[in-house]
């Protein structure tokens, strides 16, 4: 609710230990001189670990710290703000046409404009010029509350159909919106205070639409070179077209199915499509008769374990006998494990594995020999042998899953024709609404929070705290090799967030404002608030979702 205007005194403390007394209220933009570090640009602040805009008034005793552009949270704010400016520019240049955000591609987001034809360069140039005009004018991005009825009328007038539909399922008395000139959009998270902060961007034609390109957080002053990912884009296009055919493309569309008690049919179709995709991959493997080992890789919580088991069933159905080799068994003993720049053991790097032994075992297996398989004790950090052996018969095929599966340095002694490499990505085709996408990373993080609580005894704060390190390992060891894959599989299920919400919300609510992970927990709670819920008993017992919530027919 809006501020009641009562006078009060309170205290603010800063990262350097200093503090000030304040009367009534103060805006963070007036405090920036307390945080300056060289040329690092401040995009927002954290007030008691809650992410806030520079114009968001502070009215309580709080710790206040800056959010710099060269941080992960800063880059998220920068990207969201660019998306908002793009939406405002599109509203002016293409009045009445729907601007639709898609998935991420490299350091950019894919967009289309529904105006009867694929966008052409001349139109894109006009759009970019309008964005540049808004940025050069250094306009204020304001945030305000409007009534529910005003919000309904506003979104109808702006043609934001999915945003308006969302108000049928999320109905607070007051709706928070962002405003820029005569354009408004639903508030999801804080944006930059002024458009002049968004100087680095580009628009680029791409496959019937265009990319909004932005910098890496590690180098916020320049755009990285564009790296195409055609295989991943085709997977996305296929799923996006599928969602359009079913008329389920947004959180609001999914909520509508749940409300109308039609979601069980959607669950069946979603699971069937994923199973068919696995069947198609099994057939691809069969067509390449020389394949002896299937290598499955993907980022954290992409469902590698369940995929390997479900793919194994598909391979069995066409005459193979799958045998599993766990790459975790090939970790080197701790005294041989490399350390990262902080002096911690680096289990993410390829050098943490006994690559030499793995390749010797694979070559011997392909030659018909019996091999002794290693084991690894994670508590003691010790590699040892306990007598496990393996021999490949005529119809046997190896299945290995792990983060380095697409890197040929993992299996340098295995000929290319004997390997089939699969990349997994949890790539939902759903958006929150026309202008706000669902991040693949957020989908996986919520999966991980639920699984870590269910099976590893970790709190949501524990999982959030280590997530940036996990993502760093993915950028180094997984994403650079995704185009090496022979096949890609989308492991996202478009009904999963309403299921995960049931488990994730109470875990995220236990993260307090005294913890640095609060800002991320709060953001994820806001994200989940746009989804209705689906009970766990609606999830099939062989679904990938069961890997995270429990109750799977598979043994892990």
């Amino acid at each position: 609710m809006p501020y009641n205007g009562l006078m009060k005194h309170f205290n603010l403390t800063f990262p350097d230990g200093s503090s000030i007394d304040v009367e009534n209220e103060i805006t963070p933009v007036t405090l920036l001189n307390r945080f300056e570090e060289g040329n690092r640009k401040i995009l927002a602040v954290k007030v008691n670990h809650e992410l806030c805009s520079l114009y968001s008034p502070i009215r309580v005793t709080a710790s206040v710290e800056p959010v710099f552009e060269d941080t992960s949270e800063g880059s998220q704010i920068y990207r969201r703000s660019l998306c908002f400016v793009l939406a405002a520019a599109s509203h002016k240049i293409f009045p009445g046409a729907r601007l639709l955000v898609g998935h991420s591609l490299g350091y950019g987001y894919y967009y289309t404009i529904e105006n009867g034809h694929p966008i052409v360069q001349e139109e894109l140039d006009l759009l970019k010029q309008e964005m540049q005009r808004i940025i050069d004018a250094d306009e204020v991005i304001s945030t305000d509350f409007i009534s529910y009825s005003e919000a309904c009328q506003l979104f109808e007038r702006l043609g934001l159909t999915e945003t308006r539909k969302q108000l049928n399922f999320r109905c607070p008395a007051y709706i928070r919106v962002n405003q820029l000139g005569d354009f408004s959009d639903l508030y999801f998270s804080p944006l930059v205070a002024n458009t002049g902060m968004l100087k680095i961007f580009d628009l680029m034609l791409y496959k019937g639409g265009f990319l909004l390109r932005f910098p890496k957080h590690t180098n916020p002053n320049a755009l990285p070179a564009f790296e195409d990912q055609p295989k991943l884009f085709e997977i996305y296009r296929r799923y996006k077209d599928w969602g359009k055919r079913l008329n389920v493309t947004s959180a609001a569309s999914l909520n509508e199915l749940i409300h109308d008690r039609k979601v069980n049919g959607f669950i069946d179709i979603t699971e069937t499509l994923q199973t068919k995709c696995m069947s198609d991959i099994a057939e691809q493997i069969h067509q390449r008769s020389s394949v002896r080992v299937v290598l499955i890789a993907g980022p954290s919580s992409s469902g590698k374990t369940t995929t390997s088991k479900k793919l194994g069933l598909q391979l069995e159905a066409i005459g193979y006998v799958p045998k599993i080799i766990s790459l975790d068994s090939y970790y080197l003993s701790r005294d041989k494990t490399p350390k990262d720049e902080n002096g911690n053991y680096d289990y993410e790097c390829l050098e943490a594995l006994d690559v030499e032994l793995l390749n010797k075992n694979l070559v011997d297996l392909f030659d018909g020999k019996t091999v002794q398989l290693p084991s690894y004790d994670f508590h003691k950090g010790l590699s040892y042998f306990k007598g496990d052996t393996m021999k490949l018969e005529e119809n046997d095929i190896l299945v290995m899953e792990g983060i380095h599966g697409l890197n040929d340095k993992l299996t340098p002694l295995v000929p290319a024709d004997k390997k089939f490499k699969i990349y997994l990505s949890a790539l939902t085709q759903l958006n929150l609404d026309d202008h706000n996408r669902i991040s693949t990373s957020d989908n996986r993080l919520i999966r991980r929070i639920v699984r870590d609580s269910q099976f590893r005894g970790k709190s949501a704060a524990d999982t959030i705290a280590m997530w940036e390190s996990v993502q760093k390992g993915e950028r180094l060891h997984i994403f650079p090799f995704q185009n090496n894959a022979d096949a890609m599989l989308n492991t996202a299920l478009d009904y999963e967030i309403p299921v995960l919400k049931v488990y994730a919300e109470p875990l995220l609510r236990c993260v307090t404002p005294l913890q640095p992970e609060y800002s991320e927990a709060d953001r994820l709670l806001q994200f989940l608030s746009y989804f209705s819920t689906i009970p766990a008993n609606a999830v099939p017992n062989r679904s990938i979702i069961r890997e995270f919530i429990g109750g799977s027919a598979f043994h892990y």
Side-chain angles (χ1 to χ4, degrees), residues 80-247:
R80 285 195 301 269
S81 303
L82 264 183
C83 292
F84 181 62
V85 170
L86 171 61
S90 178
H91 173 66
K92 180 174 182 178
I93 300 300
F94 305 110
R98 289 178 69 191
L99 175 74
L100 301 176
V101 68
H103 79 304
S104 62
L105 192 72
Y107 288 89
Y109 297 146
Y110 179 72
Y111 279 86
T112 55
I113 294 179
E114 290 192 349
N115 59 355
H117 64 272
I119 190 169
V120 296
Q121 188 64 54
E122 291 78 10
E123 293 173 315
L124 195 63
D125 290 342
L126 289 174
L127 193 56
K128 182 176 178 180
Q129 289 168 16
E130 177 60 15
M131 285 187 69
Q132 193 64 61
R133 185 199 65 77
I134 294 170
I135 291 168
D136 291 342
D138 196 23
E139 297 184 27
V140 172
I141 298 176
S142 61
T143 302
D144 203 357
F145 286 93
I146 60 177
S147 72
Y148 180 85
S149 61
E150 287 176 310
C152 292
Q153 294 168 15
L154 173 67
F155 298 139
E156 286 171 7
R157 177 171 57 80
L158 293 173
L160 301 178
T161 55
E162 293 302 312
T163 308
R164 170 62 186 89
K165 189 192 294 184
Q166 184 64 260
L167 297 185
N168 294 333
F169 308 102
R170 191 176 186 271
C171 314
Y174 296 89
I175 307 294
R176 203 174 187 183
V177 295
N178 290 315
Q179 298 173 324
L180 181 60
D182 65 350
F183 179 75
S184 300
D185 208 346
L186 196 63
Y187 174 97
F188 284 96
S189 291
L191 305 181
V192 299
N194 299 79
T195 59
M197 297 180 176
L198 307 171
K199 296 188 183 300
I200 309 298
F201 80 98
D202 194 18
L203 301 182
M204 171 185 155
L205 283 180
Y206 188 84
K207 297 186 183 296
F210 65 94
L211 297 176
L212 170 63
R213 303 194 61 231
F214 41 73
K216 300 180 181 181
H217 77 269
T218 52
N219 185 11
N221 296 314
L223 291 176
F226 174 64
E227 295 181 10
D228 200 2
Q229 298 167 356
K231 294 179 181 178
L232 195 62
F233 180 80
E234 287 307 315
I235 293 287
Y236 163 75
R237 188 199 292 276
R238 176 181 178 181
Y239 273 83
K240 198 69 176 177
D241 290 345
W242 173 81
K244 287 179 180 177
R245 288 195 298 272
L246 294 181
N247 199 31

Side-chain angles (χ1 to χ4, degrees), residues 16 72 117 128 210 220 290 293 312 390 410 511:
D16 63 1
S72 177
H117 64 272
K128 182 176 178 180
F210 65 94
S290 60
V293 58
M390 180 180 285
L410 176 72
V511 184

Side-chain angles (χ1 to χ4, degrees), residues 324-436:
I324 308 296
I325 285 187
S326 172
L327 285 177
D328 285 355
S329 300
Y330 284 85
Y331 274 116
L332 292 164
S333 292
R334 198 164 288 158
D335 60 342
K336 298 178 182 177
T337 303
K339 294 184 178 181
D340 62 20
E341 65 273 14
N342 299 316
N344 300 316
Y345 290 109
D346 187 356
Y347 294 104
E348 304 286 314
C349 69
L350 181 64
E351 292 74 20
L353 297 174
D354 193 338
V355 174
E356 182 179 352
L357 176 61
L358 173 64
N359 280 266
K360 183 179 186 305
N361 285 169
L362 292 176
V363 170
D364 287 346
L365 285 168
F366 299 152
D367 287 341
K369 299 177 182 177
T370 299
V371 303
Q372 281 200 349
L373 298 176
S375 296
Y376 187 78
D377 187 320
F378 281 91
H379 294 291
K380 297 179 180 179
L382 183 67
S383 176
Y384 66 101
F385 291 89
K386 62 179 182 181
D388 291 341
T389 62
M390 180 180 285
K391 185 176 188 291
L392 290 185
E393 305 297 340
E394 183 179 353
N395 291 328
D396 290 352
I397 188 168
L398 291 175
V399 178
M400 298 196 307
E401 56 98 351
I403 65 173
H404 299 289
L406 304 186
N407 185 350
D408 284 326
K409 290 183 179 179
L410 176 72
T411 52
L413 299 186
V414 180
D417 66 319
K418 292 187 183 297
K419 295 184 282 192
F420 192 94
K421 293 176 284 189
I422 303 172
Y423 176 72
L424 308 185
S425 180
L427 189 69
T428 180
Q429 58 87 23
L430 292 177
N431 289 337
L432 287 175
D433 60 16
D434 287 356
H435 300 158
N436 294 278

Side-chain angles (χ1 to χ4, degrees), residues 483-538:
N483 279 329
N484 293 349
D486 297 295
M488 289 190 175
L489 178 69
N490 185 8
T491 64
L493 292 158
D494 285 342
Y495 73 92
E496 70 177 87
I497 293 175
V499 176
L500 295 170
K501 175 179 177 174
V502 177
Y503 297 83
E505 272 194 337
L507 301 173
L508 291 165
R509 293 193 190 283
C510 290
V511 184
T512 77
L514 302 177
Q515 297 174 280
E517 296 78 25
Y518 180 79
S519 62
E520 185 70 349
D522 183 60
R523 185 184 69 82
L524 291 173
L525 281 169
Q526 290 296 319
F527 166 70
L528 289 171
S529 73
Y530 289 91
F531 292 88
S532 302
T533 58
I534 296 175
N537 61 14

